[in-house]
Amino acid sequence: MRDSDDPVLADPVDKICSLEQLLAWREQAAAAGRKVVQCHGCFDIVHPGHVQYLQFAKNQGDLLLVSLSGDDFVNKGVDRPLIGQDLRAQSLAALACVDRVYVNQHPTAIQLLQQVRPDVYIKGREYEKNQDPRFEAEQQAVMSHGGQVLFSSGEVVFSSTELIHSLQRDDYLCGHKIERFCRRNQIDARQLEPIIERCRGLKVMVIGDYVLDRYQRCEAAALADDGPMLSLRPLRQQEFDGGAGAIATQLAALGAQVTLLSRFGADSAGQDAQRRLRQAHVILADCTPRRKTACRTRYLAEASKLFELDEAAHEPLDVAGANALAQTALAQLRQCDALIFADRNGGVLSARSVEPILTVAAAMKKFVAADSAAQQGQWALFQKANLLCLSERRLRRAVADPSSSLNAAACALLDMTGAAEAVVSLGRRDLVAFDQHRDEQSGQWEHRVRGEYLPGLDGPQVDALGSEDALLAVATLARAAGASLHVATLLASCAMAVQMRHAGHQPISAAELRGQLRHVQRVADNSASLRVAG
C-alpha cells in the first residue's frame, strides 16, 4: 500500500493492506476527523447484493474498510471458498466505494474490531435478530469503544452459496483450486515424479476380501412379451479382479512387491482369479478357501449399468482360520513397508485376525491403511491406522451421521479409530484430505480436524469402478514412500482420473500416472500465471 493523502488510490491493488498498514491508515483517519466504517464477510462471489451493501456502508461515514475471512476460516463447506482470498480481495478493492481491504486470518472479526476500533460496523439485515454468540461478541467489541452497529437495508437479496451451487463446473475455477491446493501445501508437481519412482520395490501386504467383478454386456432387445420389463440378450462377459485383488494388482502395476492374503472360492472362478493375480506378479499367501468365489455381476446395455447381482455373501473365517491368517501375516510383516486392510464385508477380517496384526505393526512402526465397505462397527477394528480411505457415503454410514458437516463426520471417524489421517472421496472425483494430531500425553486432539479440498481432475469418465481402489493403493504407496498426506492425495487424484478412463478394473501404469501429473502441473501453472497477471 502506498502512502497518500488522497483516499482514492490510483491502483486498486494498493487498497489491500497488511495489519500494520491498516492500523497506520486508521490512525491517520482518526487524526483527520474522518469517520471509518467497517464491513466483514466472506465475499466468495461479489454479487449485486454485496455492492448495494457496501454502497450503503460507505454512505454511513467517510472511509470504508472491508475485511474478509481468509481461506482457512471460510466455514461454508469443504469446497469453499470457491475463490481464493487473493482474488476475493482484488475484486473488493476494484470497487470505487471501498477504501481499504484487509484479509483477516482469524475465525471471527472480534480481534480486528478491537484493533481497528471502527466508528461504524455494518452487517446485513439478516443479522439483526441473529443471536449467534460470535456476532454478539463482535457487537460488543464495537460498542465497547463507542462505535455503532448498523444493519443494511437488504432490499436486494442474493446468496453466494446459492449462486455457486447453480454454476456448472468451470475449468478455470477448477484449475485455480488445484493451484491453491498446491500453493497452500507447498507442492510443486514438477518435483513429484521421483516419488512415483520411489514406490518401485516397496513391499506391501494387502489383507482383505477378494471380489470377482463381472460385466455382462447385453443388447436391450425390447420390452418382454409377458410383462413391463426390459428384455436383454447377452453379448459378452468380462471379468476383473476386484476388492483386495484390485488393490494388489494396482500396487504391482506401479512396481511394488505385493503379497495378498485373501480367500478364493474352491471353484473354477477362484482358480482363474489366482492365476491372473500371479501373472500380475502378486504373491498369494495361503488362506482358508471359500465355498464359492465372491462375485458381483453388473448387467450393462450399451454404456449404461442396469443393475447388479450381488453373490458376494458374507462368509466369516472360523477361529482356526482367523488365527492362521494372523500368523501368516505376522510371519511376513517385518519385511513389509506398508500394510493395507481392504474390508469388503466378505468375512476375511475380524477382531481375532486384525487386532494382533495391528498391535505388532504399530510396534514395528509400519504404515497401515484401511478401507471398509462394512457397517459401522467394523471400522473400530482399525485402531491407530495411519490412513483411512473411503467415500463420503461409507464415512457417513460408519459414524451413523447422514446430515452433519463432512468435517464433523471425519472427526468422529478419526476419534473412533484413533487414526491420524483420512482421505474422503466425494462423488467419485473430488477428494478431501483430513488430518489432526493427538497429544500423546493427554490423548486430546491438539486442534480441530483440518480438511483440505482437492477438486477432481476434469476429463472423460468411462467407468468409476476401481477409482476408490486406486485411491487407497496410490495414497498408501505414496505415504509409504515418504510423501506428505497432501502430496499423496494429489497423486491419488491423478490415479483416479486415469482409472476412470478405463472400463472396469484396469490397473494404471507409472507412465500414465506421470502423464496425468504433468497435466496437473500445466493446469496449476496456467492458473498461477493468470493470478499473477490479474
Side-chain angles (χ1 to χ4, degrees):
M1 184 185 74
R2 293 194 298 262
D3 292 328
S4 173
D5 294 329
D6 185 354
V8 180
L9 299 177
D11 188 345
V13 175
D14 290 345
K15 297 179 183 179
I16 304 170
C17 53
S18 67
L19 181 60
E20 182 180 2
Q21 292 168 331
L22 175 62
L23 296 181
W25 172 79
R26 176 65 180 100
E27 187 176 339
Q28 293 170 4
R34 310 193 76 180
K35 191 174 184 180
V36 172
V37 181
Q38 181 175 345
C39 296
H40 179 80
C42 168
F43 302 100
D44 203 355
I45 291 182
V46 179
H47 52 65
H50 285 143
V51 174
Q52 186 190 60
Y53 161 59
L54 296 174
Q55 289 174 334
F56 170 85
K58 180 62 178 282
N59 289 334
Q60 309 311 307
D62 302 307
L63 300 171
L64 175 59
L65 161 65
V66 181
S67 56
L68 60 106
S69 300
D71 290 345
D72 289 343
F73 302 99
V74 176
N75 189 25
K76 293 180 179 289
V78 295
D79 58 345
R80 300 285 300 279
L82 182 70
I83 309 296
Q85 61 189 32
D86 294 342
L87 291 177
R88 289 186 284 130
Q90 291 173 26
S91 297
L92 291 166
L95 297 175
C97 62
V98 175
D99 296 289
R100 291 296 184 275
V101 178
Y102 176 73
V103 180
N104 185 46
Q105 300 296 348
H106 294 280
T108 71
I110 298 170
Q111 184 173 336
L112 183 63
L113 290 167
Q114 292 170 338
Q115 293 174 299
V116 173
R117 300 167 66 89
D119 299 293
V120 183
Y121 185 48
I122 308 289
K123 295 295 284 186
R125 180 66 65 188
E126 69 273 16
Y127 282 88
E128 191 166 14
K129 297 182 180 180
N130 191 306
Q131 296 182 345
D132 188 319
R134 294 170 297 182
F135 175 57
E136 291 181 353
E138 289 180 352
Q139 291 187 86
Q140 183 59 37
V142 174
M143 293 187 292
S144 65
H145 64 259
Q148 294 178 284
V149 178
L150 299 179
F151 301 96
S152 65
S153 66
E155 291 176 3
V156 179
V157 179
F158 285 85
S159 164
S160 294
T161 299
E162 292 303 320
L163 288 170
I164 289 167
H165 286 171
S166 69
L167 294 174
Q168 297 296 323
R169 190 178 190 90
D170 183 273
D171 289 341
Y172 168 70
L173 291 177
C174 179
H176 174 65
K177 290 180 184 179
I178 292 171
E179 186 262 338
R180 188 173 71 206
F181 177 91
C182 292
R183 180 161 41 91
R184 280 163 56 93
N185 296 290
Q186 300 179 330
I187 298 172
D188 183 347
R190 284 179 290 263
Q191 300 174 358
L192 300 193
E193 289 193 36
I195 294 173
I196 301 174
E197 187 59 33
R198 290 205 301 269
C199 292
R200 295 184 62 83
L202 290 180
K203 296 179 179 179
V204 185
M205 186 187 307
V206 181
I207 308 175
D209 301 297
Y210 173 89
V211 179
L212 176 64
D213 280 314
R214 181 178 289 149
Y215 276 11
Q216 177 60 64
R217 298 191 178 275
C218 306
E219 179 185 10
L223 289 177
D225 293 334
D226 56 341
M229 55 186 173
L230 191 63
S231 175
L232 301 176
R233 182 178 297 115
L235 296 176
R236 67 184 186 279
Q237 197 173 87
Q238 294 174 285
E239 293 186 341
F240 305 99
D241 299 308
I247 295 166
T249 54
Q250 180 56 76
L251 292 167
L254 293 175
Q257 298 180 35
V258 188
T259 300
L260 174 61
L261 277 70
S262 190
R263 302 177 69 194
F264 302 91
D267 51 17
S268 61
Q271 294 171 4
D272 291 342
Q274 293 178 72
R275 175 181 49 78
R276 284 193 303 271
L277 289 164
R278 290 192 179 99
Q279 289 176 345
H281 307 292
V282 175
I283 301 168
L284 301 180
D286 291 334
C287 191
T288 305
R290 290 172 56 101
R291 291 189 299 274
K292 182 181 178 182
T293 299
C295 177
R296 292 190 178 96
T297 304
R298 294 166 176 85
Y299 288 82
L300 294 83
E302 298 180 355
S304 300
K305 295 177 182 177
L306 302 179
F307 61 91
E308 176 185 295
L309 179 63
D310 189 345
E311 298 175 278
H314 182 74
E315 191 177 310
L317 282 169
D318 60 15
V319 172
N323 289 339
L325 183 144
Q327 291 304 313
T328 300
L330 291 172
Q332 303 186 47
L333 191 55
R334 187 172 297 278
Q335 287 74 42
C336 292
D337 297 297
L339 172 63
I340 296 177
F341 290 102
D343 182 11
R344 296 297 180 265
N345 203 29
V348 168
L349 301 178
S350 64
R352 182 173 289 274
S353 60
V354 172
E355 288 178 5
I357 298 172
L358 276 176
T359 300
V360 175
M364 292 182 177
K365 299 188 182 305
K366 302 295 183 181
F367 189 87
V368 178
D371 182 16
S372 177
Q375 297 302 316
Q376 179 179 4
Q378 193 78 347
W379 278 99
L381 290 178
F382 307 118
Q383 291 296 314
K384 303 292 185 180
N386 300 94
L387 175 67
L388 306 178
C389 294
L390 67 167
S391 65
E392 180 183 5
R393 181 180 300 174
R394 289 180 182 173
L395 168 62
R396 294 193 178 280
R397 189 168 62 205
V399 298
D401 186 349
S403 58
S404 292
S405 71
L406 192 65
N407 279 49
C411 190
L413 181 64
L414 295 179
D415 201 36
M416 178 199 305
T417 60
E421 303 168 349
V423 180
V424 179
S425 59
L426 312 177
R428 304 288 187 180
R429 279 185 181 269
D430 300 356
L431 297 177
V432 186
F434 292 99
D435 66 336
Q436 57 182 342
H437 303 282
R438 188 188 293 274
D439 182 78
E440 294 298 331
Q441 294 183 342
S442 67
Q444 300 297 313
W445 297 119
E446 294 176 4
H447 55 76
R448 67 188 182 92
V449 65
R450 178 179 63 152
E452 281 282 4
Y453 172 73
L454 177 63
L457 304 173
D458 285 332
Q461 179 175 330
V462 175
D463 191 358
L465 183 68
S467 60
E468 291 179 8
D469 298 319
L471 163 62
L472 179 58
V474 174
T476 303
L477 207 54
R479 291 291 281 122
S484 69
L485 170 64
H486 300 105
V487 167
T489 302
L490 180 59
L491 287 170
S493 179
C494 291
M496 293 173 71
V498 177
Q499 173 66 56
M500 285 189 284
R501 297 174 198 156
H502 299 161
H505 291 289
Q506 299 285 348
I508 70 170
S509 67
E512 288 178 300
L513 188 55
R514 282 193 291 267
Q516 186 65 44
L517 193 57
R518 289 167 190 155
H519 170 70
V520 169
Q521 183 59 53
R522 288 193 295 272
V523 169
D525 285 348
N526 290 339
S527 180
S529 64
L530 288 171
R531 176 171 56 83
V532 172

